[in-house]
Amino acid sequence: MRRGRGAVPARGKGPRTLGRPEAGAPRAQGGLVFFFDLDDTLHDASHSIFRQIDTRMTDYVERHLSVDREEANRLRTLYWRRYGATLLGLVRHHAVDAAHFLDQTHDFDVASLVRSERGLTRLFARLPGRKVLLTNAPMVYANAVLRALAVHRHFGARYTIETMRVHGCFRPKPSRLMLRAMLARERVPACRAVLVEDSTVNLKAARSLGFRTVLMTGHGARPGVFPDLGPRRMRRAGLVIRSLHELTHGLRRLRR
């Protein structure tokens, strides 16, 4: 559910980033390809996980920038609002090592805190089309959540914050440049791509490129941050659902 603006140079080595499609990569055949957000879409991260992450990020900023608690919390929130992820602000303004930050701030027992709807394994087995993960969260954390949800086998391609780099710069959601590069890498035309998200900001960007869009409203929102929902903003989505189980019944209503 994170949003951001601008490019931030990536530092250090990491997973492969977005670029030209791999040689021999298969083209999407006919049907829809679903791109799923993670936090507050596949599971209710607002219930307890976001508190863990926010606390650890504030701890990290306080410790590594040698500032007091109040300033650390201010910077964490400021960079998240401005760039879509606290990480990007720390890399740009303080030369923080991205891999170290992500490791330190997501090092907790994820599985014990995951809260989600029941029956997701059966749902994803029934839902037609390829499923791709598209999240501004880090890879290790995302993989842990997918395993806790028992849906990891349904996601082949997984795009996380480490891989959202274009021309050497971090470009998280809602970057249109990143979305275009991802579609090219997956060999999926935008008209067959469906983004399932809890953020109308991210959905608006995807919709402008031709994605079909689904707004997930069934999970909580982080207090004190973006007032993202409202009747006008909800109309940016082709389909609005409160449960992922509504996907199988609502596909015909999807509009671009």
Side-chain angles (χ1 to χ4, degrees):
M1 64 178 289
R2 297 163 173 83
R3 58 179 178 179
R5 296 194 299 267
V8 177
R11 299 176 184 274
K13 296 181 179 179
R16 287 181 303 172
T17 59
L18 293 166
R20 294 181 179 178
E22 294 181 338
R27 292 185 180 275
Q29 299 296 320
L32 297 176
V33 178
F34 290 88
F35 294 86
F36 283 91
D37 176 48
L38 183 67
D39 294 332
D40 276 351
T41 298
L42 293 182
H43 72 117
D44 188 357
S46 290
H47 179 254
S48 57
I49 284 182
F50 277 151
R51 285 195 295 272
Q52 282 280 341
I53 295 173
D54 288 349
T55 297
R56 289 171 179 273
M57 286 186 177
T58 301
D59 290 343
Y60 189 98
V61 174
E62 182 179 13
R63 184 168 63 252
H64 288 270
L65 301 189
S66 299
V67 296
D68 61 30
R69 190 73 176 178
E70 182 178 355
E71 176 64 5
N73 193 56
R74 186 189 72 82
L75 289 174
R76 174 186 63 79
T77 305
L78 172 66
Y79 293 154
W80 182 43
R81 288 177 180 271
R82 181 178 295 173
Y83 301 114
T86 299
L87 166 67
L88 274 64
L90 293 175
V91 170
R92 167 173 283 188
H93 299 291
H94 308 282
V96 163
D97 180 81
H100 185 258
F101 172 80
L102 293 172
D103 177 68
Q104 294 291 303
T105 55
H106 291 78
D107 183 20
F108 59 92
D109 182 9
V110 172
S112 66
L113 299 177
V114 170
R115 181 176 180 176
S116 67
E117 301 179 77
R118 294 182 179 180
L120 292 186
T121 303
R122 292 190 300 275
L123 168 65
F124 279 94
R126 295 195 314 270
L127 187 67
R130 186 152 56 92
K131 292 85 175 173
V132 178
L133 185 70
L134 181 61
T135 175
N136 285 0
M139 181 67 78
V140 171
Y141 163 81
N143 287 342
V145 172
L146 292 181
R147 284 191 170 275
L149 296 173
V151 297
H152 54 286
R153 288 186 175 88
H154 297 285
F155 289 87
R158 301 174 187 183
Y159 292 90
T160 60
I161 187 69
E162 300 97 329
T163 65
M164 291 179 179
R165 289 185 282 177
V166 182
H167 306 309
C169 294
F170 281 110
R171 293 279 191 175
K173 293 183 292 184
S175 168
R176 290 169 174 82
L177 183 62
M178 179 275 294
L179 291 172
R180 289 192 190 96
M182 181 199 63
L183 288 176
R185 188 173 185 84
E186 290 299 310
R187 296 179 179 267
V188 177
C191 64
R192 294 211 299 269
V194 181
L195 179 61
V196 185
E197 262 274 3
D198 69 302
S199 167
T200 60
V201 175
N202 295 338
L203 290 174
K204 180 183 179 182
R207 187 183 175 98
S208 73
L209 298 179
F211 278 71
R212 304 169 193 238
T213 54
V214 178
L215 175 64
M216 173 63 174
T217 65
H219 298 313
R222 300 173 83 172
V225 292
F226 311 120
D228 208 19
L229 298 180
R232 291 181 63 186
R233 291 186 175 183
M234 289 176 71
R235 285 199 294 271
R236 293 174 181 169
L239 179 66
V240 180
I241 60 175
R242 288 194 56 81
S243 166
L244 291 172
H245 291 279
E246 297 174 36
L247 269 177
T248 54
H249 303 293
L251 291 180
R252 292 182 180 179
R253 301 203 308 270
L254 277 176
R255 55 182 171 80
R256 284 165 42 203

